[in-house]
Amino acid sequence: YQTIGIVSNPNLNAVFGFGQGFDDYVELSDVWREGDSPKIGGARVTKEALDAVDRRTDKDAPLYLRAMYTDTHAPIEVPKAEALLYKDRGSVETPPRIWEYRAAVHRFDDAVEKLWNGLRQRGFSRRNTLLVVVNDHGEGLAWPAQNQGIGHGNFTFQGPIGMPWLMFGAGVARGHHIGGVASQVDV
């Protein structure tokens, strides 16, 4: 395998040891400093991942690609018109931050779909690719109000600790779901 890792969370930069074992490790953010590290959206992660794939030196080697997204990590900045697309249409009234969060989840979904489509266009398939996609944790949105908090780091509710960990490739069971607790360090 030729191995590529791409991270949008500076806590996973190579300086912390997370770049070990990769032929190419792409860091999209500098290490955190007092709020000066910009948030990187999924569209850019996907673009940079596909660019890294295009730079591969051994075009015949199978590919291991791990892409780490942060779309659902605060701050979530979504234009109001986009957020309104995710407003509830039923009897349950949700706060605007929920609409924004739903829009961020949709952005993540779109980015992953574009990544896979881009890989397929380049000739990658289940036979010659192992794709691992992780998203940073979500946020506590204090909704529904009972037993929920705001933010992350202080709560063990599903919102702040739940995250997708998607795998695709040879030897990976189709449609398999693993329950229980795992950590990004496990990836």
Side-chain angles (χ1 to χ4, degrees), residues 67-96:
M68 195 281 177
Y69 293 80
T70 56
D71 292 85
T72 60
H73 192 293
I76 295 172
E77 298 170 3
V78 175
K80 186 175 183 176
E82 183 181 354
L84 283 171
L85 296 172
Y86 300 94
K87 180 179 180 180
D88 286 333
R89 305 287 188 242
S91 61
V92 176
E93 186 64 33
T94 56

Side-chain angles (χ1 to χ4, degrees), residues 37-50:
S37 188
K39 176 148 178 205
I40 307 299
R44 177 153 175 231
V45 173
T46 292
K47 179 199 176 307
E48 298 288 341
L50 293 172

Side-chain angles (χ1 to χ4, degrees), residues 23-65:
D23 297 313
D24 189 5
Y25 197 72
V26 181
E27 300 169 351
L28 299 178
S29 297
D30 293 329
V31 175
W32 292 113
R33 293 180 186 85
E34 297 298 315
D36 68 349
S37 188
K39 176 148 178 205
I40 307 299
R44 177 153 175 231
V45 173
T46 292
K47 179 199 176 307
E48 298 288 341
L50 293 172
D51 287 350
V53 168
D54 292 340
R55 289 192 305 268
R56 291 181 343 130
T57 55
D58 185 353
K59 303 289 187 189
D60 295 325
L63 172 66
Y64 173 87
L65 173 62

Side-chain angles (χ1 to χ4, degrees), residues 8 16 18 30 42 45 50 86 93 108 124 128 151 154:
S8 58
F16 301 116
F18 290 102
D30 293 329
V45 173
L50 293 172
Y86 300 94
E93 186 64 33
F108 168 72
F124 292 98
N128 63 358
N154 299 319

Side-chain angles (χ1 to χ4, degrees), residues 93-125:
E93 186 64 33
T94 56
R97 71 180 171 276
I98 303 299
W99 315 340
E100 293 165 353
Y101 192 80
R102 289 174 178 163
V105 170
H106 187 79
R107 286 179 174 184
F108 168 72
D109 288 346
D110 282 349
V112 172
E113 180 180 30
K114 287 177 181 159
L115 175 62
W116 181 244
N117 287 337
L119 289 171
R120 284 188 14 215
Q121 290 168 359
R122 288 161 173 81
F124 292 98
S125 69

